Every structure is written in structure tokens, then in C-alpha cells.
Amino acid sequence: MPAWLEYDFMRNALFAAILIAPLFALLGTVVVSNRMVFFSDVLGHSSLTGIALGCLLGLADPFWAVVIFAAVLAVLINFFKAHTHASSDTVLGVFFALVVAVGIVILSKSGGFAKYSNYLIGDILAVNTGHLRVLGCLLAAVVAYWGWAANALVLMTINQSLARTRRIPVFWLETSFSIVLAVVVAVSIKLVGILIINSLLVLPVAAARLVSRKFSDYTCGAVIISVVSSVAGLIVSYYWGTASGATIVLFAAAFYGVIAFFSIISKRV
Amino acid sequence: MPEHACGECCTEILGLGVSLGRTRVLENINLRLNCGELVAVIGPNGAGKTTLLKAILGEVEYNGQIGFSIRGALRKNIHIGYVPQKLSIDYDTPVSVLDFIAMAISRRPVWLRLSAGVKDKVHALLTEFSCQHLMKRKIGALSGGELQRVLLAAAMTPAPDLLLLDEPASAVDAKGLALFYQLVCDVRRKYDVSVLLVTHDLADVAPHADRMIFLKKTILAQGKPGDVLSDRDLLKTLGPSLWNISELANFKIAVKEKDTHDAGLA
């Protein structure tokens, strides 16, 4: 057995990485195609406010506060977008500023922000078996949701009016996806970190996009790249003594860089 | 065979009016689209053509009634086949034509490998619309004409009550457009479906349309394309960019040919 696998925390972290990676890859395919990258970033940053609300309520672990706040925020943004004529960029910018500011104001009261800074960069090594169980259930639930909703989601991305004529309830579908995304982001935020969670949604998918022609290759490619970079990043972070989340992101970025380089070269030739 | 291939049904629009904010965009639209009929809606920019489509699609609030009538009974729910003007995905999105049609006609998730049965079904459908060679291409990367044919194939499965076409001419070259209109004509005869088509292009659609509707807030004129387009005062409101003398000349030749052809058939 390699040295890094002798520790319980590394084994748990490995399981966590293997569970989280496909989750992010699946959801990322629609996030990127539907131009929701900024939206998911807002959800990630909303956990600052979620943690703050958890503290105000006197919760020992703000986990549920983060999850519920992110889901409520997702619904709120969708509602706002559907009922105003402002560009979605602007609406998201407003919510982004708001959730970050509220979170920091509450958490920094009497200079106590430092103790929450591990949420910013995440700590996958702190994962315990309880977390793993939650992640396992979440993965099963998302795969089931994907079986039911993925076709409709992609059709909605292609053209909303067309989707409506095929009896797809566009508003509810978009809302359900936002909630699923919010829950996945909120559940993984402590492990991956607010600052880099969005990279996990975007990078593997962006890399797979460069080499896929059909949706099944796209999904499969994103899952493979996501899992490989997560495991590789985790192992390397053990030897380098660096933060695992950021190291994982570096690997995903390297995948993207190499694939982008070769796809540019192959088009030139 | 669709349930309405009987000559006794039609899409009915009765007393339709739409306001967007405080602006009255459409009022008092009464329109009956018989099955198998191809109706072209023309009109200047801002005349409410797009709003009419949105009302039929149920995307804007309206007063009046829109429905599908079978032997006099009006059903609110119209099964619409819709061919949008453009898609909202990027050029490089990895969704193939096969994926797109499979999503539309089967419930099997496209992120898993598609079964041979679904592939065969899609291939047969695309062949009917002369675009089987596009099956493996990315849908975002198709040319305007290719995309219109693929969208038409999807819109006709299953056969709808009404086929709505939104500006098919906007991104298609003349040759592609002729092929597309020919396909639409074949389809509506085969399935006996009514077709409503909104367009800026007068000369190319005129020979194919059974009826032309001139819309500007309400229906200002309707009838055979030849009659509507011979009203010079009406046409002036379209503006010089859309209607010039050379097009008019082309159009007259085209309509004459069609009329002679129709008279021959009769």
C-alpha cells in the first residue's frame, strides 16, 4: 500500500474525491452549455451568508443553513430573472455582491472572520464517514435526477420555446436544476472551498467539450477528466503539503491546457 | 396518420389581442388555418408578427381565443411543431443532430449510449427530410439551411396540429430556401398539417403560400399572394429595403407560373 493510503483521513478524502468528481462533471455539462457559470459562482459564494446565518441561529455546524440558503437563493434568482427585464448578468452581479457582503459583515463582527477562512480554500482531509454517506446518497439522487431530466435540460438549453412546445415545463425544470446545483455546491463547499468550487464545475467540462461531438462523449469525458484530476490532485497535495482543492484544480486546468493545445494544433495542420 | 387528416379541423384564432406593457401590439385578429393550408404572415418590422407567434406558443398573455377545432369543438391545447429562427447554444456545444432528434423523440437519456433502435429511428426520420448525412454533425455548427431541415424533422415528430415557422429565410441562402419551402410543401400535403409561417421574404414564399396575411397590429389584408402583393400602397409600408422593383418582377413571374400550374391541375 502506498504511504498516503495508510492514513484514514487520506482514504476518506479519496472516497470523497471519487464521489464529488462525477457529481460536478454531470452538472457542469449543463452549467457550461446553458451559460450558468456565473450563477454557480454566486451559489458557491452564498455559502458565506449561509454560514453566517448558521452562526446567528447558534448552530454548531452550519451545514444545513448553507444548503437551505443556497437552495432558497437559487429559487429567488430564477424568480427575479423571470420577472424582470434586467440582463441575467446584472441580476447575478447584484446577488453576488449582496451575499458576499452580508456574509462577511456578520462573520467579521468582533474580528472573528479568521476562524471561517478554511471555508475559503476547503479541507477535503477533514471529511468523515458521515459526510461520505451524505455524498453517496447525493450522487445516487443526482444520477436518478439526471436520468429523468437531462434530455429536457439540454433541449431547454437549445431553445426554450421549442422545449415548451414539447411539453417541457421550462420554469420548473430550470428551478429544479438550480436547486440540485445549489445543494451539490453547498454540500461540497467545506471540502472544496468557496474560492475554487466553480473551477471543478467548469474545467473538466470545458476540456471535454474540446474533443467531443456528441453528448454521451461529452458527459463521459467530463466524468473521466474530473475523477482523474481529483485523485491525482489529492495524491500530489499529500506529497507537496498543499491545499488539496487547489491542487485538484491545477490538474483539471492542466488537462484543459493540454487538450486545448492539441486541438488548436490539429486544426492548424 | 394524424387524427385530423379529415378536412374537418382547423386552428382557430378568435378576437386575439395582445398588450405588452401599455402598448397594444395586436388587436382583433381573427384567423382560421385549415388543415393542409400554408399561410404566410408578412408585415413591416414591429407589426406584431413575432408577438402573434408568441401568443400561439402561449408565451405572452392575450385575450381572445386560440385553439384547435375538430368538427366545431374547440380544444385549447394545440400540439405545435415549432421551427425557431435560431438556437441559443454555442457553435461548439457537443450535441449532435442524432442527440437532438433522439432527445425529442425518445425518453432514453442521451448522456448514455443510444441504442441501435433509436439510431435507426432517427436515421429514417432524417432521411425523410433529406438530411441523414448530418446525423453526426454538431447541431450548433450546421448552416442555416441544414439547421432548418433538422428542426423541421423534429417539429414533425409526432405530426403536430399546427406547424409554426419563424423567419425561415433569415439565415438561409436562396438555394437552401427553395429546398426548404419544397420540403414544407411536401410535408403539409403528406400530413395534412396547417402551416403558419412568418417571414420577411416575399418573393420566395409567394409561389408556395396558399394565403398571405398582411399584418400591422391587425390583419390589414389577406388573400391569395398575388392579390395581397398587388396592393402597392400596402407594400410601401414594408419599406424600400424589403421590396424593390426587381423582386416584384421576379415574384410576378413566379405567381403566374403557379397560377397556370394550379389552373392546369384544376
Side-chain angles (χ1 to χ4, degrees), chain B residues 23-49:
Chain B
T23 318
R24 195 74 177 152
V25 186
L26 289 177
E27 63 187 13
N28 198 26
I29 309 269
N30 290 294
L31 192 60
R32 166 180 286 201
L33 303 161
N34 296 316
C35 43
E37 190 183 24
L38 199 164
V39 177
V41 178
I42 60 167
N45 282 329
K49 301 189 296 277

Side-chain angles (χ1 to χ4, degrees), chain A residues 99-116:
Chain A
V99 293
V100 170
V102 170
I104 293 178
V105 164
I106 299 175
L107 293 176
S108 65
K109 195 163 180 288
S110 24
F113 189 79
K115 65 179 172 208
Y116 302 104

Side-chain angles (χ1 to χ4, degrees), chain A residues 29-265:
Chain A
T29 54
V30 168
V31 167
V32 171
S33 303
N34 210 11
R35 303 189 187 120
M36 295 171 79
V37 174
F38 192 18
F39 176 78
S40 58
D41 211 18
V42 175
L43 291 180
H45 282 74
S46 80
S47 51
L48 277 173
T49 306
I51 298 161
L53 291 177
C55 291
L56 285 183
L57 293 170
L59 303 178
D61 184 351
F63 176 76
W64 286 108
V66 173
V67 173
I68 292 170
F69 181 73
V72 171
L73 182 72
V75 174
L76 209 65
I77 294 176
N78 258 10
F79 183 81
F80 214 77
K81 259 169 42 188
H83 291 88
T84 63
H85 295 294
S87 87
S88 81
D89 226 27
T90 314
V91 173
L92 290 173
V94 169
F95 276 97
F96 189 92
L98 190 69
V99 293
V100 170
V102 170
I104 293 178
V105 164
I106 299 175
L107 293 176
S108 65
K109 195 163 180 288
S110 24
F113 189 79
K115 65 179 172 208
Y116 302 104
S117 60
N118 60 343
Y119 274 96
L120 295 179
I121 55 172
D123 187 6
I124 200 169
L125 304 182
V127 72
N128 58 35
T129 43
H131 287 139
L132 287 179
R133 247 177 258 132
V134 172
L135 284 174
C137 295
L138 196 60
L139 180 60
V142 168
V143 169
Y145 173 76
W146 218 237
W148 171 72
N151 279 12
L153 280 165
V154 179
L155 214 49
M156 180 188 86
T157 304
I158 289 175
N159 186 289
Q160 292 210 350
S161 301
L162 179 71
R164 272 191 208 100
T165 63
R166 306 209 77 100
R167 306 266 188 270
I168 293 171
V170 168
F171 177 78
W172 294 113
L173 184 68
E174 210 169 10
T175 305
S176 73
F177 179 70
S178 307
I179 293 174
V180 170
L181 185 62
V183 171
V184 168
V185 167
V187 167
S188 350
I189 202 82
K190 199 173 178 183
L191 313 182
V192 185
I194 293 169
L195 295 177
I196 44 178
I197 196 150
N198 221 29
S199 345
L200 281 192
L201 272 172
V202 177
L203 283 171
V205 170
R209 231 175 134 82
L210 292 170
V211 286
S212 326
R213 283 171 158 269
K214 55 184 183 187
F215 203 75
S216 52
D217 290 352
Y218 182 30
T219 311
C220 184
V223 170
I224 291 172
I225 293 171
S226 188
V227 171
V228 171
S229 38
S230 295
V231 173
L234 182 69
I235 298 171
V236 169
S237 74
Y238 171 84
Y239 289 106
W240 286 358
T242 48
S244 319
T247 317
I248 289 170
V249 170
L250 274 187
F251 270 87
F255 259 110
Y256 179 79
V258 169
I259 293 177
F261 177 76
F262 281 107
S263 80
I264 292 169
I265 298 273

